[in-house]
């Protein structure tokens, strides 16, 4: 890799490519690079299109498409765009959906950088991988699932503070989000809610708050086949967002809501001081049989290990030390 690594963005939804940001050594321009599982560069491009406009942040939208965001300083708005890495097409994404809420409130994680500086207009518009469905917040703490082509609302639900972390499965069949089961509070009563791509309703998937007084779900990841969700479950921490918090790894089945608790702890809140780790989502293997994650080393200060757990045997083993699990890639692109 030429230049200096700035940040690793993540692995593409099809597990073929890794996206990262680096500078060219002169500090005059930053680049985005796409590499395969052997580290061979597939393509690279400046993190700005057109040349005079800098992207503010970026992520994978689909297997060959990036979602890039420009912050319009003059109008204090979010301008999400699509960038096709193969054709270098650059297209805007519609944000002015009917009734879309553009104020302080939804902490969905998608546009958290914009929300931090109070750029609400155009933020938190969540498209599925095929760009045929969109989920967005509306007035009154409503969450809407809408058909992109017709503008028809397919499902709607009211959730305290609109819930958190809405994410589509890789196949685009379901959207999940975390929300409080108690309409009077949004803290410590976390449950999963899901909706199918064609609606007609948002369904409550888990009932953890019927077993525990306090439930925090800090982050999660869809399995490659879209049938399970691996997540960090914490039923004891007063503040699960406190840096370095560890939670229990658990898995929920989409069809039944059945939960398997693995009795294995891992880092479930970002760490940015002595230890640098920001990717806290569980990382599924391509075949869905294993999960990688980071865990604090209780025997050594300021040290953590990357572990892989075999889901059939529930056996965890160490694969690296002081490395950050970013994503699980296919051997060959």
């Amino acid at each position: 890799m030429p230049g200096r690594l700035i940040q690793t963005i993540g692995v593409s939804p099809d597990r073929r490519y890794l996206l990262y940001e680096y500078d060219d050594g002169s500090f005059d321009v930053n680049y985005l690079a796409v590499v395969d599982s052997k580290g061979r560069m597939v393509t690279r491009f400046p993190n700005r299109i057109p040349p005079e406009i800098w992207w503010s942040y970026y992520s994978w939208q689909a297997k060959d498409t990036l979602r890039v965001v420009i912050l319009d300083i003059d109008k204090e708005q979010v301008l999400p765009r699509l960038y096709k890495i193969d054709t270098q097409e650059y297209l805007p994404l519609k944000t002015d959906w009917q009734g879309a809420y553009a104020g302080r409130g939804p902490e969905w994680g998608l546009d958290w950088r914009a929300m931090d500086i109070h750029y609400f207009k155009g933020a938190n518009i969540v498209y599925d991988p095929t760009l045929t469905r969109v989920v967005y917040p509306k007035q009154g703490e409503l969450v809407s699932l809408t058909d992109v082509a017709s503008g028809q609302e397919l499902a709607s639900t009211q959730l305290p503070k609109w819930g958190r972390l809405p994410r589509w499965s890789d196949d685009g069949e379901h959207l999940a989000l975390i929300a409080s089961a108690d309409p009077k509070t949004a803290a410590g009563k976390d449950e999963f809610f899901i909706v199918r791509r064609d609606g007609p309703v948002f369904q409550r998937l888990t009932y953890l708050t019927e077993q525990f007084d306090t439930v925090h779900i800090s982050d999660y990841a869809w399995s490659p086949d879209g049938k399970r969700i691996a997540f960090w479950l914490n039923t004891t921490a007063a503040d699960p967002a406190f840096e370095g918090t560890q939670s229990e790894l658990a898995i929920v089945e989409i069809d039944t809501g059945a939960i398997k608790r693995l009795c294995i702890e891992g880092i479930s809140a970002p760490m940015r001081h002595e230890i640098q780790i920001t990717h806290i989502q569980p990382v599924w293997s391509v075949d869905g049989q294993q999960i990688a994650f980071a865990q604090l080393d209780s025997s050594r200060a300021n040290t953590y290990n990357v572990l892989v757990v075999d889901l059939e045997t529930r056996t965890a083993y160490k694969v690296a030390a002081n490395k950050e699990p970013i994503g699980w890639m296919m051997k060959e692109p």
Side-chain angles (χ1 to χ4, degrees), residues 169-241:
S169 57
D170 290 349
D171 59 10
E173 290 300 316
H174 291 89
L175 176 129
L177 76 166
I178 303 165
S180 174
D182 186 345
K184 298 179 181 179
T185 179
K189 300 293 182 182
D190 288 347
E191 301 285 5
F192 276 109
F193 291 77
I194 63 170
V195 63
R196 296 181 180 274
R197 63 175 288 104
D198 292 328
V201 294
F202 285 77
Q203 296 179 318
R204 180 173 170 179
L205 179 63
T206 59
Y207 291 83
L208 289 160
T209 51
E210 295 184 358
Q211 305 174 50
F212 306 100
D213 292 334
T214 301
V215 177
H216 295 285
I217 300 172
S218 55
D219 215 325
Y220 69 96
W222 281 96
S223 64
D225 62 6
K227 296 181 179 180
R228 293 168 291 171
I229 293 174
F231 65 100
W232 293 118
L233 171 65
N234 198 308
T235 60
T236 60
D239 183 5

Side-chain angles (χ1 to χ4, degrees), residues 8 17 33 44 91 96 100 117 126 137 160 182 196 198 201 205 241 244 252 256 269 271 273-274 276 321 326:
T8 305
Y17 303 114
R44 74 163 194 163
L91 302 170
D96 57 344
I117 58 175
V126 185
D182 186 345
R196 296 181 180 274
D198 292 328
V201 294
L205 179 63
V252 59
T256 64
M271 306 179 72
H273 294 300
E274 293 89 353
Q276 294 289 323
I326 304 298

Side-chain angles (χ1 to χ4, degrees), residues 220-281:
Y220 69 96
W222 281 96
S223 64
D225 62 6
K227 296 181 179 180
R228 293 168 291 171
I229 293 174
F231 65 100
W232 293 118
L233 171 65
N234 198 308
T235 60
T236 60
D239 183 5
F242 182 77
E243 182 167 319
T245 296
Q246 297 211 128
S247 299
E248 179 185 355
L249 185 62
I251 295 173
V252 59
E253 301 283 341
I254 298 304
D255 289 341
T256 64
I259 294 176
K260 180 187 295 184
R261 298 174 61 187
L262 299 181
C263 299
I264 298 173
E265 283 194 334
I267 298 172
S268 57
M271 306 179 72
R272 298 185 177 91
H273 294 300
E274 293 89 353
I275 302 173
Q276 294 289 323
I277 178 170
T278 57
H279 291 77
I280 61 174
Q281 290 183 33

Side-chain angles (χ1 to χ4, degrees), residues 30 32 46 52 80 82 94 96 108 111 127 142 145 161 181 222 265 270 295 299 310-311 317:
N30 291 347
L32 295 179
E52 67 274 9
L82 290 179
K94 176 182 171 64
D96 57 344
W108 278 7
D111 291 317
Y127 285 88
L142 292 172
L145 167 67
K161 294 188 176 180
W222 281 96
E265 283 194 334
Q295 183 185 75
S299 65
D310 182 278
L311 298 180
Y317 52 93

